[in-house]
């Protein structure tokens, strides 16, 4: 074991590397900077004060101020906001008169971690505003301040989770975890693309029959990718037909997106295979990339809660773009521009990795 340098490094550093990545990922303990949209239908001093309090909330990040409920709904469907707070008309008048008023909150229920933390943050703000309104009203009535602090709740909040109304963990996790296992297996298979043809005189055999390297690896890559898609098809069919999991997009769109992802992870496996010394090392490198990628993808723990250096690392991995896009396609009905960047980044990763792998193959052969 000790003479095997690659295995020695994995044994000594593998667990420590995992600790470094995971403690960085989950070190925040709570999610901050949740992208939030605020719709102000009142435009009063009271509504502006409420917006100021929402802006100052530790866990929320007000990113946009849509003019209507419909615009806020579109932002959440596109993944540009996770929470929408709608301040109703006559909010300021009702607060000043001590009347009951309701703030509407729409939360992206497709990510349960976001939903739980966002609801807690908004509930804290609305309770603060409600208490202040009640105290002011009671003070004007001549009640002592100590008694006024026990004021009733004058502002209530109505929460409505979207896209996964029951916040079903099975919908949120089962298919994603299954696809995580699938992508790990595919990545490990792709690491044999180049190294599998070296070390046993394969180059001489193919050269003697006039079979070019380009034709060889293009053929192998096509077979690999077709195999990847054949493996994932039963998973999709079982989930969407038998288990009745949600799919708001056409299955063909999801399959096209999965195909682009399959090409992307195959390109990374091919790149690893092109510079590895042997098949064992190639598999090890592929395992190091594939295993932590789901945790870093931002699917279960949002990217915004991770340190910036981990966010940049995660954005270099195709798994991040796939699982973020998968969330949009499975739970929502996003517009094409919302998912186009995910397609584009996955294809860009494939082009870069295949190009670099080609350089390595030509140099070593």
């Amino acid at each position: 074991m000790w003479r095997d340098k690659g295995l020695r490094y994995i044994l000594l550093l593998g667990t420590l590397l995992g600790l470094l990545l995971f403690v960085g990922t989950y070190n925040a303990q709570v999610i901050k900077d949740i992208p939030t949209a605020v719709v102000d239908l009142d435009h009063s001093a009271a509504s502006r004060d409420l917006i100021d309090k929402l802006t100052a909330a530790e866990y929320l990040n007000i990113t946009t101020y849509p003019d209507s409920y419909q615009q806020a709904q579109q932002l959440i469907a596109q993944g540009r906001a996770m929470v929408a707070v709608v301040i109703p008309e006559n909010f300021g008048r009702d607060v000043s008169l001590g009347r009951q008023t309701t703030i509407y909150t729409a939360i992206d229920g497709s990510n349960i971690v976001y939903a739980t933390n966002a609801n807690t943050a908004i509930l804290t703000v609305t309770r603060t505003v409600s208490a202040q309104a009640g105290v002011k009203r009671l003070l004007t009535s001549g009640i002592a301040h100590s008694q006024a602090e026990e004021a009733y709740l004058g502002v209530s909040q109505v929460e409505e989770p979207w896209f996964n109304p029951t916040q079903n963990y099975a919908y949120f996790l089962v298919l994603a975890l299954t696809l995580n296992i699938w992508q790990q297996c595919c990545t490990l298979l792709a690491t044999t693309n180049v190294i599998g043809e070296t070390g046993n005189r394969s180059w001489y055999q193919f050269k003697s029959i006039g079979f070019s390297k380009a034709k060889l690896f293009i053929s192998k890559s096509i077979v690999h990718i077709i195999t990847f898609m054949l493996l994932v098809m039963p998973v999709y069919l079982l989930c969407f037909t038998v288990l009745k999991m949600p799919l708001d997009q056409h299955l063909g769109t999801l399959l096209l997106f999965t195909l682009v992802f399959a090409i992307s992870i195959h390109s990374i496996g091919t790149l690893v295979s092109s510079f590895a010394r042997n098949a064992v090392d190639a598999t090890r490198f592929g395992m190091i990339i594939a295993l932590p990628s789901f945790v870093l993808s931002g699917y279960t723990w949002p990217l915004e809660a991770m340190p910036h250096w981990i966010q940049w690392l995660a954005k270099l991995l195709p798994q991040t773009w796939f699982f973020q896009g998968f969330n949009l396609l499975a739970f929502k009905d996003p517009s094409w521009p919302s998912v186009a960047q995910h397609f584009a980044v996955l294809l860009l990763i494939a082009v870069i990795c295949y190009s670099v792998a080609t350089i390595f193959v030509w140099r070593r052969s």
Side-chain angles (χ1 to χ4, degrees):
M1 289 170 60
W2 190 254
R3 286 196 299 268
D4 189 332
K5 183 185 296 185
L7 180 59
R8 184 168 75 230
Y9 288 154
I10 289 178
L11 291 174
L12 293 176
L13 302 178
T15 307
L16 294 178
L17 177 61
L19 175 64
L20 177 65
L21 290 175
F22 296 147
V23 76
T25 300
Y26 296 108
N27 189 52
Q29 299 181 9
V30 294
I31 301 175
K32 299 182 179 180
D33 298 328
I34 300 174
T36 305
V38 176
V39 181
D40 185 2
L41 301 178
D42 187 46
H43 301 289
S44 64
S47 66
R48 288 191 293 271
D49 180 65
L50 175 59
I51 293 174
D52 291 339
K53 287 181 170 60
L54 291 171
T55 304
E58 184 179 8
Y59 304 150
L60 302 178
N61 178 24
I62 313 299
T63 57
T64 183
Y65 298 88
D67 297 324
S68 65
Y69 170 89
Q70 289 75 17
Q71 291 181 9
Q73 185 179 31
Q74 186 177 15
L75 290 172
I76 295 182
Q78 295 173 351
R80 296 168 56 190
M82 294 296 166
V83 183
V85 179
V86 181
I87 304 174
E89 297 176 346
N90 302 321
F91 172 80
R93 183 196 65 186
D94 292 341
V95 169
S96 63
L97 295 176
R99 297 175 180 173
Q100 182 78 20
T101 185
T102 299
I103 297 172
Y104 178 78
T105 304
I107 298 178
D108 185 354
S110 66
N111 191 313
I112 299 175
V113 180
Y114 269 130
T116 303
N117 286 268
N119 183 53
T120 301
I122 295 174
L123 190 60
T124 301
V125 173
T126 55
R127 283 177 175 174
T128 301
V129 173
S130 177
Q132 291 176 347
V135 168
K136 289 180 180 179
R137 183 172 182 274
L138 294 177
L139 287 176
T140 58
S141 302
I143 297 177
H145 188 274
S146 59
Q147 295 176 326
E149 289 181 344
E150 301 177 0
Y152 61 87
L153 288 176
V155 178
S156 63
Q157 175 201 358
V158 174
E159 174 198 352
E160 181 182 354
W162 288 353
F163 309 117
N164 186 10
T166 61
Q167 298 189 10
N168 188 327
Y169 268 94
Y171 290 169
F172 176 56
L173 282 179
V174 169
L175 180 54
L177 289 174
T178 305
L179 290 175
N180 175 44
I181 297 174
W182 167 77
Q183 67 88 14
Q184 290 180 16
C185 296
C186 292
T187 302
L188 295 180
L189 174 60
T191 58
T192 66
N193 194 19
V194 176
I195 201 66
E197 304 301 340
T198 59
N200 57 357
R201 300 180 180 178
S202 292
W203 293 126
Y204 299 106
Q205 295 173 15
F206 286 110
K207 186 175 181 179
S208 65
I209 62 176
F211 204 83
S212 69
K213 290 188 289 290
K215 189 175 182 179
L216 167 65
F217 290 118
I218 290 175
S219 301
K220 287 190 66 176
S221 299
I222 291 175
V223 172
H224 281 178
I225 293 168
I226 291 175
T227 304
F228 295 172
M229 296 303 296
L230 291 176
L231 290 173
V232 81
M233 284 293 294
V235 174
Y236 281 157
L237 292 176
L238 283 172
C239 286
F240 298 133
T241 60
V242 179
L243 302 179
K244 303 298 182 182
M245 291 188 176
L247 178 62
D248 281 351
Q249 272 288 339
H250 190 274
L251 181 59
T253 304
L254 180 60
L255 286 174
L256 177 61
F257 186 59
T258 305
L259 172 62
V260 174
F261 173 60
I263 295 172
S264 184
I265 59 175
H266 184 268
S267 71
I268 287 185
T270 300
L271 175 59
V272 169
S273 186
S274 67
F275 65 75
R277 296 178 303 170
N278 51 60
V280 175
D281 280 351
T283 303
R284 292 168 179 169
F285 290 138
M287 179 185 66
I288 292 174
I289 295 172
L291 287 180
S293 59
F294 180 70
V295 176
L296 300 180
S297 69
Y299 188 86
T300 56
W301 189 255
L303 287 173
E304 292 82 3
M306 302 180 190
H308 290 295
W309 67 273
I310 291 186
Q311 293 184 35
W312 281 106
L313 175 63
K315 290 179 181 179
L316 296 176
L317 299 173
Q319 289 86 348
T320 300
W321 297 94
F322 172 72
F323 284 107
Q324 296 286 339
F326 168 78
N327 183 274
L328 290 174
L329 294 173
F331 289 99
K332 307 169 188 178
D333 187 13
S335 60
W336 171 248
S338 302
V339 293
Q341 63 171 339
H342 297 80
F343 278 90
V345 172
L346 290 175
L347 289 173
L348 178 62
I349 291 174
V351 169
I352 293 174
C353 290
Y354 280 135
S355 300
V356 177
T358 301
I359 295 174
F360 278 124
V361 169
W362 253 254
R363 291 187 61 182
R364 74 182 298 173
S365 61

